[in-house]
Amino acid sequence: MTRLCLTLTRDTLKANLEDLRTYAPDMAELRLDLLSPAEQRKAVSLPSQSSVPLILTCRRREDGGAWTGSALEREKLLWELMEGGFAFVDLEEGEDSPLLAARAREQGLKILRSLHDFEGVPVNLDERLRNMARKGDLVKAALMCRGSADLLRIFETAAAWKENPPSGSPQLILLGMGPFGIPSRILAGKMGLYLTFCSPEGVEAAPGHLDINTLRSLYRAGELDRESKVFGIIGNPVLHSRSPEIHNPGFLRLGMNGVYLPFSVDDLPSFFKMAELLDIQGFSVTVPYKEEIRSFLTEESRDVRAIGACNTVLKGEGKSWQGFNTDIQGFLEPLKQILKEEASQENAPDGEPGLKNMKAALIGAGGAARAVAAALVKSGCALTIFNRNAHRAKALAEQFSCLWAPLDELVQNPKDPFDLVVQSTSCGMKPGEDPVPGYDFSGRELLYDIIYSPPETRLMERARAAGCRVLGGLPMLHAQGQAQFEGFARLYRKSAGFDKAKGAS
Ligand code: NAP
């Protein structure tokens, strides 16, 4: 378990108190340097109005703060406020102020020694932290993560500290700044760290700070402990992914002590070392790693081999990693569902919904199109692939033994219209975009646009207006996520022991 420490960033005490009431954190850090000068001295009364322990911080500009006064003024202010009942005072690594340290002891405050590096993770980090531990009760480092290797160093340092703590076992706070550092903010409890800092909603107090509601509700960061099982999604970029919103509520529903989080990855070998250190059980894979990941796998499913891409990795025995692809299943499930519903309305006989021999057009020949083509050919459709870059359409069609044509040849044949049109390009994500503006729907087609953001594309609007049945990309996203989730939950049960999954069914 760790503490969620809210950084109080408002310029008035009233607004900061309001944040304390609204967010009810476990702890809070008052940033004196962000308070308006007229309010700074009045902050002495804040601890008496707060029900949680407070850290008193006046961050200098060179350490990433906003303090513009002199060093003497800062010392005087901290000296005065220390009598207010704060739990900690934050002093920088190199700040040699015997007077402040003595005053803190006298007033019963603990000293938090902190180190900030906006350039990267220092090579001698462990040594510096151990030196800081001699001058403080709590040691903190906030370090810019320039890539996966820096994040790995942070996790390795936290693990080494736990394995071989300095004398007195001072507590540690270790945070990676920037997008690559985000897992360190979520996994503080898993790493046995004292707290993780967070911001009020709509504020980013430091690069990569998550807001408290996201940390608490989506990632349940305050509840994670050493036993928590880690799952995630790797990619670059990946922070926009909606997958945590699919998997974390599922983990909660099953009573799993687990978390699913995004890992921005720029180097797969570093990620795999991290996966071993954190005992990551499984992860989703997104752009640009769906193909490159294959060289790290011990086993691949038939679908991975058919599509040539992997979107799900599960931990196997020992150090093995098994690759799967849930896109085929994710694509087919909503399509079959809609065909089944239509068939039952028409009182058609039961059986496999009628994809067999359907005349289908696939627009696009990118990564997602491979799963779509594999699914449609496997289901017996008569498929033609249309793509802007005709060479890619040809290559994909050759792989799946179907027809192909350049995109501008996709026209409606009034005598023999398509039964199914699948749109798999990224054209449509922006307002008004349409990959085939010249294509007039006959009204007979089922349009399946796999774009999920926005949920309704221009092409979908046009198809609807022509009287077509229309399916968007969100059900596919959920169905492929559901297939991944089942794999993750199965692995969790195996690794944590079924009886530990409280309320699991
Ligand atoms: P990708 O590998 O980059 O492929 C992009 C495809 O879009 C290519 O065929 C490309 O044609 C085509 N394209 C791009 N701009 C175009 C334009 N202006 N006009 C016509 N064609 C254009 O991307 P991807 O991974 O396949 O993803 C494509 C879309 O599918 C994205 O919107 C993604 O979010 C969505 N998707 C949804 C799900 C889901 O679960 N619903 C799953 C996966 C992907 P060229 O070859 O000519 O460049």
Side-chain angles (χ1 to χ4, degrees):
M1 302 280 240
T2 192
R3 296 156 184 81
L4 301 187
C5 182
L6 184 71
T7 302
L8 300 174
T9 54
R10 315 290 182 189
D11 64 353
T12 66
L13 290 168
K14 189 166 174 253
N16 283 322
L17 272 168
E18 191 57 40
D19 280 347
L20 278 172
R21 282 191 204 105
T22 306
Y23 297 111
D26 304 314
M27 287 184 68
E29 176 191 39
L30 175 67
R31 288 282 303 274
L32 278 175
D33 52 306
L34 300 178
L35 268 183
S36 76
E39 297 265 313
Q40 286 165 349
R41 288 206 146 65
K42 295 186 205 154
V44 72
S45 67
L46 192 67
S48 64
Q49 298 171 73
S50 162
S51 55
V52 296
L54 297 182
I55 303 171
L56 178 63
T57 300
C58 188
R59 188 84 61 228
R60 304 175 299 195
R61 273 187 185 277
E62 64 262 41
D63 305 311
W67 176 256
T68 50
S70 71
L72 194 62
E73 286 166 333
R74 177 173 167 277
E75 256 193 51
K76 243 179 108 194
L77 184 62
L78 286 173
W79 172 280
E80 282 176 24
L81 296 191
M82 274 194 214
E83 71 182 34
F86 288 89
F88 294 91
V89 61
D90 181 301
L91 300 179
E92 295 291 332
E93 177 193 23
E95 190 170 357
D96 202 12
S97 175
L99 277 179
L100 279 185
R103 170 82 165 163
R105 299 276 174 242
E106 177 196 302
Q107 293 291 333
L109 280 84
K110 290 189 170 168
I111 296 176
L112 188 170
R113 279 282 166 190
S114 56
L115 152 65
H116 297 88
D117 195 325
F118 293 89
E119 303 297 320
V121 179
V123 278
N124 55 350
L125 175 63
D126 190 66
E127 183 191 332
R128 284 172 70 178
L129 292 174
R130 285 170 196 272
N131 284 337
M132 286 158 66
R134 292 195 198 101
K135 299 188 287 179
D137 307 286
L138 189 56
V139 173
K140 166 193 159 185
L143 312 159
M144 182 56 74
C145 280
R146 295 157 303 180
S148 308
D150 279 348
L151 180 63
L152 173 64
R153 291 264 331 276
I154 286 182
F155 285 131
E156 284 173 341
T157 306
W161 183 282
K162 210 69 198 167
E163 191 131 306
N164 176 23
S167 66
S169 301
Q171 300 263 23
L172 183 64
I173 304 166
L174 210 43
L175 296 164
M177 291 188 277
F180 287 98
I182 281 178
S184 68
R185 298 185 178 277
I186 297 170
L187 296 177
K190 169 79 184 169
M191 299 308 296
L193 300 172
Y194 186 74
L195 63 75
T196 183
F197 287 100
C198 46
S199 302
E201 277 194 306
V203 175
E204 195 185 37
H209 251 222
L210 293 173
D211 74 75
I212 185 164
N213 286 343
T214 302
L215 268 185
R216 183 187 276 149
S217 309
L218 183 59
Y219 298 113
R220 292 187 292 139
E223 296 167 43
L224 301 181
D225 56 25
R226 292 196 163 272
E227 301 301 314
S228 302
K229 301 293 173 196
V230 181
F231 299 85
I233 176 164
I234 67 165
N236 193 7
V238 74
L239 298 181
H240 64 281
S241 167
R242 303 195 38 194
S243 297
E245 294 162 37
I246 295 175
H247 294 288
N248 286 312
F251 288 2
L252 180 63
R253 223 174 25 251
L254 292 189
M256 287 167 56
N257 178 8
V259 63
Y260 179 102
L261 66 149
F263 288 87
S264 297
V265 169
D266 66 345
D267 136 34
L268 283 174
S270 289
F271 171 74
F272 273 95
K273 283 187 194 152
M274 215 172 337
E276 212 171 296
L277 189 79
L278 297 171
D279 193 24
I280 291 179
Q281 299 293 309
F283 54 94
S284 317
V285 185
T286 188
V287 179
Y289 295 120
K290 286 186 176 187
E291 289 163 36
E292 196 182 333
I293 195 81
R294 294 183 66 195
S295 58
F296 293 81
L297 302 175
T298 326
E299 284 172 54
E300 296 184 326
S301 71
R302 217 175 28 201
D303 283 354
V304 171
R305 284 195 295 274
I307 307 170
C310 162
N311 76 341
T312 312
V313 177
L314 300 181
K315 193 172 180 182
E317 296 300 329
K319 290 186 176 178
S320 69
W321 294 103
Q322 300 166 335
F324 300 87
N325 198 309
T326 62
D327 281 340
I328 293 185
Q329 186 182 344
F331 169 77
L332 279 177
E333 264 181 29
L335 182 58
K336 285 185 175 175
Q337 182 61 31
I338 202 170
L339 294 174
K340 201 168 158 185
E341 280 164 18
E342 286 176 1
S344 70
Q345 276 166 17
E346 287 164 14
N347 295 323
D350 284 350
E352 183 70 6
L355 275 167
K356 200 163 170 47
N357 298 327
M358 249 194 182
K359 191 181 168 200
L362 168 58
I363 306 171
R370 289 216 295 241
V372 174
L376 293 178
V377 169
K378 187 170 117 177
S379 305
C381 286
L383 179 65
T384 308
I385 299 172
F386 297 87
N387 195 47
R388 183 178 60 178
N389 177 339
H391 296 292
R392 289 181 85 186
K394 180 170 184 275
L396 195 60
E398 281 171 0
Q399 188 183 344
F400 291 104
S401 308
C402 60
L403 301 173
W404 66 275
L407 187 55
D408 51 19
E409 288 184 18
L410 175 62
V411 284
Q412 207 235 102
N413 178 350
K415 287 198 196 123
D416 187 16
F418 288 105
D419 304 301
L420 174 67
V421 175
V422 180
Q423 194 307 108
S424 78
T425 79
S426 46
C427 182
M429 295 177 78
K430 294 193 191 122
E433 274 186 346
D434 186 337
V436 282
Y439 180 80
D440 290 323
F441 288 94
S442 70
R444 180 186 142 173
E445 304 92 328
L446 166 59
L447 171 71
Y448 189 172
D449 191 334
I450 71 163
I451 288 178
Y452 55 83
S453 177
E456 181 86 2
T457 62
R458 171 84 190 111
L459 191 67
M460 286 164 72
E461 280 168 12
R462 284 209 298 118
R464 245 184 252 286
C468 297
R469 298 103 78 215
V470 172
L471 182 57
L474 269 176
M476 173 178 172
L477 182 74
H478 286 282
Q480 65 81 26
Q482 181 59 33
Q484 287 186 332
F485 181 78
E486 282 158 18
F488 295 154
R490 203 173 48 245
L491 215 60
Y492 174 83
R493 289 189 173 114
K494 201 169 144 201
S495 67
F498 187 65
D499 53 347
K500 283 193 189 158
K502 291 170 256 153
S505 55

